[in-house]
Protein backbone atom coordinates (compact mmCIF):
# COMPACT_ATOMS: atom_id res chain seq x y z
CA UNK A 1 0.00 0.00 0.00
CA UNK A 2 1.43 3.34 -1.09
CA UNK A 3 2.01 5.99 1.60
CA UNK A 4 0.07 9.23 1.24
CA UNK A 5 2.08 12.36 0.57
CA UNK A 6 1.79 15.23 3.05
CA UNK A 7 -0.12 17.23 0.44
CA UNK A 8 -2.60 14.38 0.05
CA UNK A 9 -3.09 14.16 3.81
CA UNK A 10 -3.74 17.90 4.09
CA UNK A 11 -6.25 17.68 1.24
CA UNK A 12 -8.00 14.71 2.89
CA UNK A 13 -8.36 16.78 6.08
CA UNK A 14 -9.71 19.79 4.18
CA UNK A 15 -12.16 17.56 2.28
CA UNK A 16 -13.40 16.16 5.60
CA UNK A 17 -14.33 19.72 6.64
CA UNK A 18 -15.63 20.79 3.25
CA UNK A 19 -19.28 19.93 3.77
CA UNK A 20 -19.57 21.91 7.01
CA UNK A 21 -18.18 22.34 10.51
CA UNK A 22 -16.64 19.10 11.74
CA UNK A 23 -15.34 17.97 15.07
CA UNK A 24 -11.96 16.34 15.52
CA UNK A 25 -13.34 12.80 15.79
CA UNK A 26 -15.17 13.02 12.51
CA UNK A 27 -12.12 14.49 10.75
CA UNK A 28 -9.97 11.74 12.26
CA UNK A 29 -12.27 9.06 10.83
CA UNK A 30 -12.70 10.62 7.41
CA UNK A 31 -9.03 11.49 6.96
CA UNK A 32 -7.94 8.18 8.50
CA UNK A 33 -5.36 9.68 10.82
CA UNK A 34 -4.38 9.08 14.46
CA UNK A 35 -5.16 11.94 16.82
CA UNK A 36 -1.57 13.08 17.47
CA UNK A 37 -0.74 13.46 13.77
CA UNK A 38 -4.09 15.03 13.01
CA UNK A 39 -3.62 17.64 15.73
CA UNK A 40 -0.31 18.70 14.15
CA UNK A 41 -1.86 19.03 10.70
CA UNK A 42 -4.87 20.90 12.04
CA UNK A 43 -2.54 23.44 13.69
CA UNK A 44 -0.64 23.77 10.41
CA UNK A 45 -3.79 24.32 8.37
CA UNK A 46 -5.12 26.79 10.93
CA UNK A 47 -1.78 28.63 10.81
CA UNK A 48 -1.98 28.86 7.03
CA UNK A 49 -5.50 30.27 7.25
CA UNK A 50 -7.21 27.36 5.53
CA UNK A 51 -9.16 26.19 8.56
CA UNK A 52 -10.85 28.14 11.32
CA UNK A 53 -11.16 26.75 14.84
CA UNK A 54 -14.61 27.14 16.40
CA UNK A 55 -15.16 26.45 20.09
CA UNK A 56 -18.73 25.55 21.08
CA UNK A 57 -18.61 25.06 24.81
CA UNK A 58 -16.32 22.13 25.42
CA UNK A 59 -16.43 20.93 21.83
CA UNK A 60 -13.92 22.09 19.27
CA UNK A 61 -14.93 22.16 15.64
CA UNK A 62 -13.20 23.24 12.46
CA UNK A 63 -14.61 25.21 9.58
CA UNK A 64 -13.20 25.68 6.08
CA UNK A 65 -12.14 29.24 5.26
CA UNK A 66 -12.35 30.91 1.88
CA UNK A 67 -8.62 30.36 1.46
CA UNK A 68 -9.14 26.68 2.20
CA UNK A 69 -11.87 26.45 -0.43
CA UNK A 70 -9.65 28.13 -3.01
CA UNK A 71 -6.82 25.74 -2.18
CA UNK A 72 -9.15 22.76 -2.59
CA UNK A 73 -10.38 24.06 -5.94
CA UNK A 74 -6.79 24.52 -7.16
CA UNK A 75 -5.83 21.07 -5.91
CA UNK A 76 -8.72 19.50 -7.80
CA UNK A 77 -7.54 21.22 -10.99
CA UNK A 78 -4.03 19.96 -10.32
CA UNK A 79 -5.47 16.50 -9.81
CA UNK A 80 -7.32 16.69 -13.14
CA UNK A 81 -4.06 17.58 -14.93
CA UNK A 82 -2.25 14.80 -13.08
CA UNK A 83 -4.95 12.29 -14.08
CA UNK A 84 -4.72 13.43 -17.70
CA UNK A 85 -1.05 12.43 -17.81
CA UNK A 86 -1.23 9.52 -15.41
CA UNK A 87 0.80 11.18 -12.66
CA UNK A 88 -0.06 10.37 -9.06
CA UNK A 89 -0.41 13.27 -6.65
CA UNK B 1 -10.78 36.09 -51.38
CA UNK B 2 -9.55 35.02 -47.96
CA UNK B 3 -6.22 33.22 -48.02
CA UNK B 4 -6.31 29.62 -46.74
CA UNK B 5 -3.70 30.49 -44.09
CA UNK B 6 -6.09 32.81 -42.19
CA UNK B 7 -8.51 30.16 -40.83
CA UNK B 8 -5.53 27.92 -40.06
CA UNK B 9 -3.96 30.83 -38.19
CA UNK B 10 -7.10 31.36 -36.07
CA UNK B 11 -7.25 27.69 -35.05
CA UNK B 12 -3.49 27.75 -34.47
CA UNK B 13 -3.89 30.71 -32.08
CA UNK B 14 -6.66 28.87 -30.22
CA UNK B 15 -4.31 25.91 -29.86
CA UNK B 16 -1.56 28.21 -28.66
CA UNK B 17 -3.82 29.59 -25.92
CA UNK B 18 -4.63 26.01 -24.89
CA UNK B 19 -0.92 25.23 -24.64
CA UNK B 20 -0.35 28.37 -22.55
CA UNK B 21 -3.01 27.33 -20.04
CA UNK B 22 -1.72 23.77 -19.99
CA UNK B 23 1.84 25.00 -19.33
CA UNK B 24 0.53 27.26 -16.54
CA UNK B 25 -1.20 24.37 -14.75
CA UNK B 26 1.70 21.97 -15.36
CA UNK B 27 4.13 24.52 -13.89
CA UNK B 28 1.84 25.00 -10.91
CA UNK B 29 1.65 21.23 -10.45
CA UNK B 30 5.44 21.02 -10.59
CA UNK B 31 5.85 23.81 -8.05
CA UNK B 32 3.42 22.22 -5.60
CA UNK B 33 4.49 18.58 -5.95
CA UNK B 34 8.14 18.98 -7.09
CA UNK B 35 7.48 15.94 -9.27
CA UNK B 36 10.01 15.67 -12.11
CA UNK B 37 7.30 14.18 -14.33
CA UNK B 38 5.46 17.49 -14.28
CA UNK B 39 8.73 19.26 -15.14
CA UNK B 40 9.16 17.11 -18.28
CA UNK B 41 5.56 17.71 -19.38
CA UNK B 42 5.79 21.44 -18.58
CA UNK B 43 9.04 21.90 -20.56
CA UNK B 44 7.74 19.74 -23.40
CA UNK B 45 4.52 21.69 -23.83
CA UNK B 46 6.38 25.00 -23.43
CA UNK B 47 8.74 24.13 -26.30
CA UNK B 48 5.75 22.87 -28.32
CA UNK B 49 4.09 26.22 -27.66
CA UNK B 50 7.19 28.04 -28.90
CA UNK B 51 7.01 26.01 -32.10
CA UNK B 52 3.32 26.76 -32.48
CA UNK B 53 4.05 30.47 -32.03
CA UNK B 54 6.64 30.26 -34.81
CA UNK B 55 4.15 28.39 -36.99
CA UNK B 56 1.47 31.04 -36.30
CA UNK B 57 3.86 33.77 -37.40
CA UNK B 58 4.62 31.79 -40.55
CA UNK B 59 0.89 31.33 -41.28
CA UNK B 60 0.42 35.08 -40.83
CA UNK B 61 3.38 35.83 -43.08
CA UNK B 62 2.07 33.37 -45.69
CA UNK B 63 -1.38 34.95 -45.55
CA UNK B 64 -0.02 38.49 -45.87
CA UNK B 65 2.33 37.47 -48.66
CA UNK B 66 -0.59 35.65 -50.35
CA UNK B 67 1.67 32.61 -50.71
CA UNK B 68 0.62 30.52 -53.68
CA UNK B 69 1.42 27.21 -51.95
CA UNK B 70 1.73 26.92 -48.15
CA UNK B 71 3.96 23.89 -48.38
CA UNK B 72 6.43 25.77 -50.56
CA UNK B 73 6.29 28.78 -48.24
CA UNK B 74 7.20 26.61 -45.25
CA UNK B 75 9.95 24.79 -47.14
CA UNK B 76 11.68 27.84 -48.56
CA UNK B 77 11.26 30.19 -45.61
CA UNK B 78 14.32 30.12 -43.36
CA UNK B 79 12.20 29.82 -40.20
CA UNK B 80 10.03 27.05 -41.68
CA UNK B 81 12.01 24.35 -39.91
CA UNK B 82 11.68 25.95 -36.49
CA UNK B 83 8.22 24.53 -35.64
CA UNK B 84 9.42 21.04 -36.69
CA UNK B 85 12.56 21.43 -34.58
CA UNK B 86 10.57 22.63 -31.56
CA UNK B 87 8.10 19.79 -32.04
CA UNK B 88 10.91 17.24 -32.01
CA UNK B 89 12.45 18.66 -28.82
CA UNK B 90 9.00 18.93 -27.21
CA UNK B 91 8.12 15.35 -28.10
CA UNK B 92 11.44 14.12 -26.70
CA UNK B 93 10.68 15.85 -23.39
CA UNK B 94 7.10 14.55 -23.26
CA UNK B 95 8.24 11.06 -24.22
CA UNK B 96 10.89 11.22 -21.47
CA UNK B 97 8.13 12.13 -19.04
CA UNK B 98 6.00 9.13 -20.04
CA UNK B 99 9.06 6.85 -20.14
CA UNK B 100 10.05 7.93 -16.66
CA UNK B 101 6.53 7.38 -15.45
CA UNK B 102 6.26 3.93 -16.95
CA UNK B 103 9.75 2.60 -16.41
CA UNK B 104 11.21 4.93 -13.81
CA UNK B 105 14.23 5.51 -15.98
CA UNK B 106 14.27 8.24 -18.64
CA UNK B 107 17.54 6.93 -20.11
CA UNK B 108 15.70 3.95 -21.60
CA UNK B 109 14.31 6.22 -24.27
CA UNK B 110 17.80 6.57 -25.71
CA UNK B 111 17.27 3.12 -27.22
CA UNK B 112 14.44 4.29 -29.44
CA UNK B 113 15.61 7.75 -30.50
CA UNK B 114 18.31 7.44 -33.16
CA UNK B 115 20.50 10.45 -33.81
CA UNK B 116 18.19 13.20 -32.57
CA UNK B 117 19.91 16.54 -32.42
CA UNK B 118 20.82 17.34 -35.99
CA UNK B 119 17.66 19.43 -36.42
CA UNK B 120 19.53 22.59 -35.34
CA UNK B 121 21.16 22.46 -38.78
CA UNK B 122 17.76 23.12 -40.39
CA UNK B 123 18.19 26.82 -39.81
CA UNK B 124 21.51 27.19 -41.64
CA UNK B 125 21.41 24.54 -44.35
CA UNK B 126 20.68 25.62 -47.91
CA UNK B 127 17.16 25.27 -49.33
CA UNK B 128 17.79 22.14 -51.36
CA UNK B 129 18.69 20.20 -48.20
CA UNK B 130 15.74 21.44 -46.12
CA UNK B 131 13.10 19.23 -47.72
CA UNK B 132 14.88 15.98 -46.74
CA UNK B 133 15.43 17.39 -43.23
CA UNK B 134 11.69 18.10 -42.90
CA UNK B 135 11.18 14.48 -43.90
CA UNK B 136 13.72 13.25 -41.34
CA UNK B 137 12.27 15.48 -38.60
CA UNK B 138 8.75 14.19 -39.37
CA UNK B 139 9.97 10.60 -39.27
CA UNK B 140 11.63 11.19 -35.88
CA UNK B 141 8.47 12.91 -34.62
CA UNK B 142 6.44 9.92 -35.78
CA UNK B 143 8.57 7.52 -33.73
CA UNK B 144 8.27 9.74 -30.66
CA UNK B 145 4.55 10.29 -31.16
CA UNK B 146 3.93 6.56 -31.53
CA UNK B 147 5.54 5.97 -28.16
CA UNK B 148 3.73 8.92 -26.57
CA UNK B 149 0.36 7.91 -28.04
CA UNK B 150 0.69 4.33 -26.81
CA UNK B 151 1.76 5.57 -23.36
CA UNK B 152 -1.11 8.03 -23.08
CA UNK B 153 -3.68 5.41 -24.13
CA UNK B 154 -2.15 3.07 -21.54
CA UNK B 155 -2.70 5.79 -18.92
CA UNK B 156 -6.33 6.12 -20.09
CA UNK B 157 -6.91 2.38 -20.04
CA UNK B 158 -5.75 2.29 -16.39
CA UNK B 159 -7.81 5.21 -15.15
CA UNK B 160 -10.75 5.17 -17.62
CA UNK B 161 -11.23 8.88 -16.93
CA UNK B 162 -12.38 11.29 -19.68
CA UNK B 163 -9.67 13.74 -18.72
CA UNK B 164 -7.00 11.13 -19.54
CA UNK B 165 -8.54 10.44 -22.97
CA UNK B 166 -8.07 14.01 -24.21
CA UNK B 167 -4.24 14.10 -24.30
CA UNK B 168 -4.28 10.59 -25.82
CA UNK B 169 -6.56 11.79 -28.63
CA UNK B 170 -4.42 14.93 -29.07
CA UNK B 171 -1.24 12.89 -29.53
CA UNK B 172 -3.01 10.44 -31.86
CA UNK B 173 -4.14 13.32 -34.08
CA UNK B 174 -0.61 14.76 -34.09
CA UNK B 175 0.70 11.32 -35.06
CA UNK B 176 -1.77 11.17 -37.95
CA UNK B 177 -0.67 14.68 -38.92
CA UNK B 178 2.95 13.56 -39.16
CA UNK B 179 1.98 10.40 -41.08
CA UNK B 180 0.25 12.55 -43.71
CA UNK B 181 3.05 15.15 -43.70
CA UNK B 182 5.64 12.68 -44.99
CA UNK B 183 3.83 11.82 -48.25
CA UNK B 184 2.88 15.50 -48.68
CA UNK B 185 6.57 16.44 -48.56
CA UNK B 186 7.58 13.61 -50.87
CA UNK B 187 4.93 14.52 -53.46
CA UNK B 188 4.97 18.27 -52.68
CA UNK B 189 1.18 17.99 -52.42
CA UNK B 190 -0.48 21.14 -51.02
CA UNK B 191 -3.77 19.38 -50.22
CA UNK B 192 -2.09 16.68 -48.13
CA UNK B 193 0.03 19.34 -46.43
CA UNK B 194 -3.13 21.25 -45.46
CA UNK B 195 -4.77 18.03 -44.27
CA UNK B 196 -1.70 17.33 -42.16
CA UNK B 197 -1.96 20.81 -40.60
CA UNK B 198 -5.69 20.28 -39.97
CA UNK B 199 -5.01 17.06 -38.06
CA UNK B 200 -2.31 18.87 -36.07
CA UNK B 201 -4.72 21.67 -35.23
CA UNK B 202 -7.40 19.15 -34.26
CA UNK B 203 -4.84 17.75 -31.82
CA UNK B 204 -4.32 21.22 -30.37
CA UNK B 205 -8.10 21.62 -30.02
CA UNK B 206 -8.18 18.40 -28.03
CA UNK B 207 -5.62 19.97 -25.68
CA UNK B 208 -7.86 23.06 -25.55
CA UNK B 209 -10.75 20.82 -24.48
CA UNK B 210 -8.49 19.38 -21.75
CA UNK B 211 -7.72 22.92 -20.59
CA UNK B 212 -11.43 23.79 -20.37
CA UNK B 213 -12.09 20.58 -18.47
CA UNK B 214 -9.35 21.43 -15.95
CA UNK B 215 -10.47 25.05 -15.53
CA UNK B 216 -14.10 24.03 -15.00
CA UNK B 217 -13.23 21.71 -12.06
CA UNK B 218 -14.89 22.95 -8.85
Amino acid sequence: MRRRSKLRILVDIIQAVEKGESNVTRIMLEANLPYTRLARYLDELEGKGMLMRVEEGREVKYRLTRKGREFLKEFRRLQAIAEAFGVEV
Amino acid sequence: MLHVAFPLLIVELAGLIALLFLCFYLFKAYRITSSRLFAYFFLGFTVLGAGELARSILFLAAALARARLLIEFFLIHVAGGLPQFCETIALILIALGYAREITGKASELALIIPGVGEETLIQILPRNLRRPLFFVASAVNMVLLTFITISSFTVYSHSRKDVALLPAVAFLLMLLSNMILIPSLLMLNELLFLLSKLFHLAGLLSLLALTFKVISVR
Side-chain angles (χ1 to χ4, degrees):
Chain A
M1 196 175 176
R2 205 175 157 149
R3 286 181 71 179
R4 283 185 291 178
S5 64
K6 185 182 171 184
L7 176 65
R8 189 72 242 190
I9 291 171
L10 293 175
V11 168
D12 287 346
I13 295 170
I14 290 172
Q15 279 178 330
V17 184
E18 191 187 4
K19 291 176 194 118
E21 276 181 14
S22 299
N23 59 29
V24 177
T25 308
R26 191 167 148 221
I27 298 171
M28 214 166 72
L29 290 168
E30 286 202 26
N32 193 24
L33 283 167
Y35 178 77
T36 43
R37 279 182 79 194
L38 177 63
R40 254 197 346 258
Y41 290 128
L42 286 171
D43 285 342
E44 188 176 339
L45 287 167
E46 198 186 342
K48 287 182 173 160
M50 292 191 203
L51 289 182
M52 192 164 70
R53 187 183 161 103
V54 177
E55 285 179 19
E56 288 177 5
R58 283 168 60 178
E59 198 179 18
V60 172
K61 287 186 175 182
Y62 286 86
R63 188 191 295 160
L64 198 59
T65 62
R66 192 175 165 180
K67 193 175 175 185
R69 278 188 208 284
E70 285 299 318
F71 171 79
L72 198 56
K73 194 163 83 173
E74 281 305 304
F75 177 81
R76 284 175 175 151
R77 286 179 179 162
L78 188 157
Q79 199 170 29
I81 281 275
E83 278 170 3
F85 295 101
V87 181
E88 271 192 51
V89 178
Chain B
M1 200 176 101
L2 197 68
H3 194 275
V4 68
F6 272 119
L8 291 174
L9 173 64
I10 290 164
V11 183
E12 184 78 41
L13 289 173
L16 193 58
I17 290 166
L19 285 171
L20 274 170
F21 272 108
L22 210 55
C23 288
F24 171 71
Y25 281 109
L26 285 167
F27 179 68
K28 238 183 163 178
Y30 169 66
R31 240 178 28 133
I32 292 170
T33 63
S34 300
S35 166
R36 222 178 262 186
L37 293 173
F38 282 123
Y40 280 115
F41 290 127
F42 162 69
L43 287 169
F45 281 105
T46 302
V47 175
L48 195 66
E52 296 304 329
L53 180 64
R55 195 178 274 127
S56 304
I57 293 168
L58 281 169
F59 273 133
L60 180 63
L64 292 173
R66 297 232 154 250
R68 198 176 57 87
L69 287 174
L70 272 180
I71 188 170
E72 254 181 27
F73 189 88
F74 272 69
L75 284 172
I76 64 173
H77 201 280
V78 74
L82 188 59
Q84 286 297 102
F85 170 62
C86 286
E87 195 174 316
T88 306
I89 300 296
L91 292 175
I92 289 169
L93 289 164
I94 294 167
L96 282 170
Y98 275 116
R100 203 182 170 90
E101 193 179 336
I102 291 164
T103 65
K105 281 192 284 182
S107 56
E108 288 187 16
L109 250 193
L111 296 170
I112 63 165
I113 309 171
V116 173
E118 292 88 29
E119 284 76 15
T120 41
L121 293 174
I122 287 172
Q123 302 308 314
I124 54 171
L125 277 173
R127 285 180 195 180
N128 58 348
L129 279 177
R130 263 187 227 130
R131 197 190 303 179
L133 280 175
F134 262 83
F135 175 79
V136 167
S138 300
V140 169
N141 288 353
M142 249 178 63
V143 170
L144 292 165
L145 276 164
T146 305
F147 173 78
I148 290 168
T149 306
I150 292 170
S151 302
S152 55
F153 271 105
T154 306
V155 164
Y156 170 66
S157 70
H158 276 245
S159 69
R160 289 283 175 195
K161 292 204 164 128
D162 289 345
V163 77
L165 183 60
L166 290 167
V169 166
F171 291 130
L172 178 64
L173 288 165
M174 287 178 185
L175 174 62
L176 290 170
S177 163
N178 274 279
M179 283 169 72
I180 297 169
L181 184 65
I182 291 172
S184 82
L185 292 174
L186 287 172
M187 297 186 291
L188 210 58
N189 187 312
E190 177 78 347
L191 207 59
L192 281 177
F193 181 75
L194 283 174
L195 189 63
S196 159
K197 291 300 149 212
L198 281 171
F199 269 106
H200 183 86
L201 294 172
L204 289 178
L205 289 175
S206 187
L207 290 176
L208 184 65
L210 171 64
T211 309
F212 279 130
K213 215 166 171 78
V214 168
I215 290 171
S216 65
V217 164
R218 288 272 163 257

